[in-house]
Amino acid sequence: IPTGAAGLEAYTWYLRGMAAWDEGKPQRCREAIAHLKRAAALAPHFALPQSGLAQAYQWMGLWGWARPREMEAQSRAAVQEALRMDGQSAETQAAWATHLVRFEWDWKNAEGAANRALELNPSCGLAYSMKANCALFQLRLDDALRYFEQAVQLDPLSYRTNGAVGIAYWSQRR
């Protein structure tokens, strides 16, 4: 987290952006992008807003709220910038895992990035969620459910994660 008043303000806008993104609604996702861009402008060397932007662009493309190809390019640019700034950030590694899951369907490398995120921060709920997605897409349903449940334990208020647990239970007909 950057120091000083601008750093604190940037971190506050980052948190607002991530909270808006997590709601999973088109307008809130657009607001998230605006908040995250503001955070990035306030602290240009702060990787977390770039990671957050990658997540928001991915969500916009995933749900068809914007053109997926455009969102893929914007997601890739944001996550690559975040990795350049701080490749040792769990959030950045989780954002890379998410990009690989949502746009490239590269389960092996996505799971590797999620594992790197968890090595850096064992409490990174998004990394568990991405491991769960990788397992789900490979029909490793028990693993998927276990990882989603870990993600919910780490972030119990997340709309996205709680919805994903429902999908995991549904896929097991439970």
Side-chain angles (χ1 to χ4, degrees), residues 76 95-107 109-110 113:
R76 178 177 286 281
W96 178 235
T98 308
H99 178 87
L100 292 170
V101 165
R102 295 205 175 123
F103 290 121
E104 299 187 25
W105 299 2
D106 183 349
W107 319 133
N109 286 319

Side-chain angles (χ1 to χ4, degrees), residues 20-44:
W21 164 70
D22 188 60
E23 289 183 29
K25 298 175 185 170
Q27 184 55 37
R28 292 294 284 154
C29 202
R30 288 182 193 90
E31 290 172 20
I33 291 169
H35 295 335
L36 293 162
K37 284 182 175 181
R38 185 169 183 176
L42 287 165

Side-chain angles (χ1 to χ4, degrees), residues 3 45 83-85 89 134 163:
T3 58
H45 301 292
L83 287 165
R84 185 193 64 73
M85 288 180 191
S89 161
C134 290

